[in-house]
Amino acid sequence: MTTELHPEGPRQDPRDTGRQPLPRQEWTGPGTTHAEEPRSRSEVTARASARFEPVGRAVASARSFVRDTLQGWGFADVADDAVVLTSELVTNAVVHAGTSAEVLCLRSDDGVRIEVADRYPEREIPLQTTAVSMGSPDREGGRGLQLCAALAGHWGVEYTPTHKRVWFRLDLPERPVGTRAAGPSLPTELLPLTDGRVRVAVLQIDRTGSLSAWNEDAEELFGYAADQVTGKPLTDLAAWPHTPGTGTGIAEALRLSRWEGSYGIRGADGRVIPVYASHLRVRDTAGEPSTVCLLVRDDERAVLQTPPRAPAPDSASTTDGQTADPFELFIGSPAPDDLDGLLQRTVERARDILDGDAAFLLLATDDETELEVRASTGLPSARQRFARVPVDAGPGRYGSARMPAVHDDLTAASGAVPLLGGTGMRSVVTVPLKVEGRLTGSLGVAAEAPSRYSNEEALRLQFAADRIALAVESARLGELERLRRGSLSFLVEASDLLAGTLDRDQTLALMAQMTIPTLATWCAVYTIADQASEPYLSYVLHEDEDRIDGLKELLSKIPPPEPIPTPGARVWAAPAEAARQAALRTSWRGLGLGEHSLGDGSALGTTQATASAVGGETVVLPLVARNRVIGMLTLGKPADEHFRQEILELAEDLSRRAALALDNARLYSERTAISQSLQRSLLPPEHPHVDGVEVEVIYRAAGEGNEVGGDFYDLFPIHDGAYGFAIGDVCGTGPEAAAVTGLARHALRLLAREGYSGPAVLERLNSAILDEGPRSRFLTLLYGELWPQEDGSANLKVVCAGHPLPLRLRPDGSVEAAAEPQPLLGVMEDLELYEQALTLDPGDVLLCVTDGVTERREGTRMLGDDGLAEVLTTCTGLTAGAVAARISRAVERFASDAPSDDMAILAMRVPGLLPD
């Protein structure tokens, strides 16, 4: 940094080189009509300039330069606004534009003009005829012009081929020459009111806090003679207010270099007298410190109170004419309507107030045991955001959170402020945020140089914290309320989605998709089959689909987290560490330092991207259902990010619901697999090939997940070229009907192969059904035996026990019943059944169906036997498969609703002998 001071009158700008200036493009703010107008209003009486290179310390150095310059000129009342504006403009130059910044301060009789120039003139030149958009005030950079518009009386931007220069002018209030601070001239009736003679009590307090001096005005005000109070501690007389949010006590105030404020003094009559006090810390020639206290009645505070700084025109006055507080003015220009915006404004303002290099703000948890990082500036905030530190004293704990604290050198007090570890900050001042005596947060400002801060800076920062504490707490509670309402809605929706499926894979996918990106950046679900099994990586999801494969590969190479049933989230460091190691090894190989150098940079980029995606905080939540750990839900953040406590609590609620849904899906899958396996055992194997006869079967069981119902069919060889076939219908549907189905099918095969005739087979089956007792169900059954003949025909014997009659289709299109009805099974003990013989000639079709076909309904209409016969007449010349398919389609199309009954269709056709 190079600096020039010119206290004399106007002289040539040190940046001028003697050349003729080139034409320049100008754009001015609304406060003036021309860029040169403010400079020409009054004579420049002094100037100071400095140049700052684009290094990390440049912005802080520029703030110090401007503050020291203005205070040296006696312009302390505009120094705060000037520092804030300079900080933003220099940041734009050295950080965003990446060039050096030149700062020029010009003093005049009625104000100060400050110019900040950089060497990036082609950057964002606005057009004179185009409205300029300021952008969002909540973005990280680019607020310099907005602040100029809010705080400066006049401002503008000038462009030349080599420079871009932003200037602003801060006007001074009208005041007599020689005064350092003054208020406006007021009518007599508006002057502060006093009660007779104004008495100023002068007290002196020694280093032990005891009174060593007590003047006559003090005796008059409080009723004590000097010898009555000399040697007594001031705390015996002072009634120090316990104002909510104020963390400074009288003992601390007496040790500060300067302090102003209100408290009370207990008079000799026992009454508390409100006073306004101004404390000044001094030392005598021997170096002994003491504090001089000037006290007046509180209603006469104007005698001692430092006058407020006059605001810039149209910027610091409220609509009712009252002067706004400078800190509140900055926060409210405009006031962010969200908590994060308010906190970010707070730390930036705190940094500028104390000319710090960094600032941070932490919010306390409800039980005040932990502090969570919520905003910072000048620090690697991404890696610290939402990090949590305990409040109580101890290694790695934030022991100074509850009281104002100043640390001159953090290298000598390692761990005093855990947030600043490894950041290069040496000195720090921290103050608490309190509301109604409860710790709600902590605000701190840090500097790279040691011993930068004293108790005076701590007091200034505490006053700022007291002003903003209530607003921050109100915004935090509002955010929590919105988060809780959103969490409730999220959990309700999640419960509905999880309850809507019993598929395990779909449940895993839903579980991951609900967390991304609402709760985390990436998610992995581990499942555990049984207590003896290791966790298995079942599902991986990342908000960026291109990262999923790399993430899955990384997680598959590290041991899974330990399945601990303890509720709550626990940190899992393995993924982040593995990602860093993988990225490091890939970088070495990419540089040719490893065993095998990479041919291109694709693998390097992939590994580094994966490391960035996984490098943040990772937590594991157990999936516990029915007192057993069935898996783990793993949530992760990208590099340098942490989880909020509220998000972890929401994730824990979700994990409980997801665990139960996943276990329900597992149980359902297991039971479905068992049920389907048992049902498949009741179905006949593939029907055998019958020489000279086409056979086609269509079977559909009603009900979700049912493969077998009350309808059944079978086709099996008996002996010597004879085949048995059956089609039946058990009363009812579902597992109970399927049990009788299995009994009937196996009994038919066994009895037929024992050589029994058709009637004997059905009579014995009838007895077996009746033996089931209460579990028995009546059964309709068509049973027959088939003998293909050498001449291309087929002989059949059939018994129709209460079943829909089989239909015979002839080649000429005629349809007729192929059997007579007989009693059904499972009702009477003594049955007299008989069999009927028939011959299927070449081209004939025998169609056997269950009542699920004939009783298909649409309102009051029913397909019936006649409807089935009518459809069958259209099947002349079709194969057995085509006939069965046409009947099935006719049944489905007969009604708009899905079939609600089991259905079986057995079609047999004799095609005849093929010609030689």
Side-chain angles (χ1 to χ4, degrees), residues 740 743 766-778 826-827:
V740 180
L743 171 64
N766 180 65
S767 299
I769 294 173
L770 293 175
D771 289 343
E772 291 293 309
R775 296 183 300 174
S776 66
R777 289 170 176 261
F778 64 81
V827 177

Side-chain angles (χ1 to χ4, degrees), residues 457-718:
E457 281 80 12
L459 182 61
R460 293 178 63 194
L461 191 61
Q462 183 66 69
F463 284 168
D466 292 344
R467 290 188 185 99
I468 201 65
L470 188 59
V472 168
E473 181 65 6
S474 178
R476 186 184 76 90
L477 293 177
E479 180 192 65
L480 287 178
E481 181 61 25
R482 289 190 296 272
L483 181 60
R484 284 166 182 158
R485 286 199 302 267
S487 299
L488 181 60
S489 175
F490 173 79
L491 290 174
V492 169
E493 182 179 356
S495 299
D496 288 343
L497 290 173
L498 291 171
T501 178
L502 288 172
D503 181 82
R504 176 182 176 276
D505 293 337
Q506 189 174 2
T507 302
L508 288 172
L510 282 175
M511 188 188 314
Q513 291 167 4
M514 285 185 296
T515 61
I516 307 301
T518 305
L519 305 182
T521 304
W522 63 269
C523 168
V525 182
Y526 292 84
T527 57
I528 303 175
D530 52 60
Q531 298 295 336
S533 302
E534 290 293 325
Y536 174 75
L537 182 61
S538 299
Y539 201 91
V540 176
L541 186 64
H542 193 283
E543 65 180 5
D544 183 355
E545 293 183 356
D546 295 337
R547 300 280 177 262
I548 295 178
D549 292 339
L551 176 60
K552 185 182 300 183
E553 181 181 1
L554 176 70
L555 293 177
S556 63
K557 293 180 179 179
I558 61 177
E562 186 178 354
I564 300 176
T566 306
R570 70 180 191 275
V571 177
W572 186 31
E577 181 61 29
R580 285 192 291 269
Q581 293 297 328
L584 182 60
R585 289 193 298 270
T586 305
S587 299
W588 286 345
R589 291 197 299 270
L591 296 173
L593 302 178
E595 297 179 358
H596 302 285
S597 179
L598 297 176
D600 54 44
S602 59
L604 174 63
T606 301
T607 304
Q608 289 179 338
T610 302
S612 177
V614 186
E617 187 176 40
T618 302
V619 297
V620 178
L621 298 106
L623 298 174
V624 181
R626 298 176 176 90
N627 298 321
R628 187 174 73 88
V629 180
I630 63 171
M632 285 88 69
L633 176 63
T634 303
L635 304 178
K637 286 284 190 180
D640 304 331
E641 289 195 20
H642 295 262
F643 284 97
R644 296 183 58 178
Q645 186 62 35
E646 295 85 355
I647 295 297
L648 293 180
E649 294 172 359
L650 180 58
E652 185 178 356
D653 287 339
L654 176 63
S655 68
R656 287 195 292 267
R657 290 164 170 78
L660 188 58
L662 184 61
D663 199 47
N664 288 339
R666 177 187 63 83
L667 294 175
Y668 177 78
S669 299
E670 290 178 356
R671 282 157 175 73
T672 300
I674 294 172
S675 174
Q676 292 176 346
S677 176
L678 292 175
Q679 291 183 61
R680 282 192 293 269
S681 70
L682 299 177
L683 292 174
E686 294 184 1
H687 55 76
H689 174 72
V690 181
D691 293 333
V693 179
E694 296 175 1
V695 180
E696 182 65 26
V697 175
I698 294 179
Y699 178 80
R700 292 173 185 165
E704 183 180 357
N706 290 333
E707 295 190 23
V708 178
D711 292 4
F712 69 96
Y713 70 93
D714 201 0
L715 177 65
F716 54 90
I718 300 177

